[in-house]
Amino acid sequence: MGRVRRLRGFSGVGQAVWAYVRGAPGTYVWLAVLFVTTVALHRMSPEFEQEFLRQRSTNIHELSRHPVRVLVASAMWIDGGYWVPYAVLYTVFHARAERWLGTARWLAVCAAAHVLATLVSEGALAVAIQQGLAPRSSVETLDVGVSYALSGVVAVLFYGMRSPWRYAYLVVVLVFYGLPLVEAPTFTDFGHFVSVLIGLGCFPLVRGRGSVRDPKGTGAVSRG
């Protein structure tokens, strides 16, 4: 009987995990793509990898030539090659946001944060280059990854929190992303903070969505 109970317990956990994954299809499809591309990167030589990623980078050079292609392609690769931390972050933030907002609205937040923060940060870098504050070689700086979209989603989850925790959460988010701008700012740090502001600006997408968890505490969310 004890073994049967354990098997039923494992089965119940498996069903709960599958229900959670099924409630956030976009998140886990994206993670699957990132897993495949990360494996592919590990099979490349360091020299080839750098050139390969540079051609899919949202730097000034590539944005001026192939803006749509690189904006899409850059979100399919992880610079650094460590997939597991992103699997955790996607589950904690992206999956919760998608289950709360629905796939279409979650994707809109991701796209807005990724695209707008990229354009703003690269525009700021272009101005810095023109003014001699950054080297000319910065136009081809390697810039791929999913962190801008993640930062935007982290911020938008503020609207799904319940008081007073939501304000503590907001303070933590603003300090986490704002502190690098005070200490030793880079244009990537600037882009992250911009993406947080964009996520907070997505309030019209979250109207009427209630809290992240439903009143029964089941973790399910309404679809509107």
Side-chain angles (χ1 to χ4, degrees):
M1 287 294 294
R3 185 176 181 180
V4 171
R5 288 175 181 172
R6 285 195 296 271
L7 289 174
R8 287 178 178 173
F10 286 128
S11 176
V13 171
Q15 290 176 359
V17 170
W18 173 240
Y20 190 82
V21 171
R22 190 174 55 189
T27 295
Y28 291 101
V29 168
W30 194 359
L31 261 181
V33 171
L34 292 176
F35 178 79
V36 172
T37 57
T38 300
V39 171
L41 283 181
H42 283 299
R43 296 179 178 272
M44 300 177 186
S45 66
E47 297 78 12
F48 181 79
E49 176 185 330
Q50 290 297 304
E51 182 58 29
F52 181 85
L53 290 179
R54 189 167 287 108
Q55 293 176 6
R56 289 153 182 80
S57 175
T58 50
N59 55 41
I60 297 172
H61 177 70
E62 293 296 334
L63 278 172
S64 65
R65 299 176 61 195
H66 314 288
V68 175
R69 179 177 68 81
V70 295
L71 282 168
V72 174
S74 65
M76 300 297 120
W77 301 87
I78 298 173
D79 183 22
Y82 295 101
W83 179 83
V84 172
Y86 285 92
V88 175
L89 291 171
Y90 270 50
T91 298
V92 172
F93 295 107
H94 276 302
R96 288 171 65 86
E98 185 179 1
R99 287 169 60 85
W100 172 46
L101 295 174
T103 299
R105 297 187 189 197
W106 161 78
L107 190 58
V109 174
C110 291
H114 175 67
V115 173
L116 296 179
T118 296
L119 296 178
V120 170
S121 60
E122 292 299 323
L125 178 57
V127 172
I129 292 173
Q130 290 177 352
Q131 295 180 351
L133 301 176
R136 181 67 58 178
S137 60
S138 298
V139 298
E140 294 189 359
T141 300
L142 183 62
D143 185 15
V144 297
V146 298
S147 59
Y148 288 170
L150 179 61
S151 301
V153 165
V154 168
V156 82
L157 279 171
F158 159 73
Y159 295 112
M161 302 286 178
R162 294 180 179 176
S163 299
W165 305 112
R166 65 189 308 184
Y167 299 106
Y169 176 83
L170 179 61
V171 169
V172 171
V173 170
L174 292 177
V175 169
F176 180 83
Y177 287 103
L179 197 58
L181 292 177
V182 177
E183 294 181 338
T186 66
F187 287 96
T188 300
D189 295 329
F190 176 62
H192 285 144
F193 196 78
V194 169
S195 65
V196 167
L197 297 181
I198 292 168
L200 294 174
C202 288
F203 175 72
L205 292 174
V206 307
R207 280 183 174 177
R209 304 307 290 181
S211 60
V212 174
R213 291 183 176 273
D214 67 9
K216 297 180 180 179
T218 61
V221 293
S222 62
R223 303 288 184 188

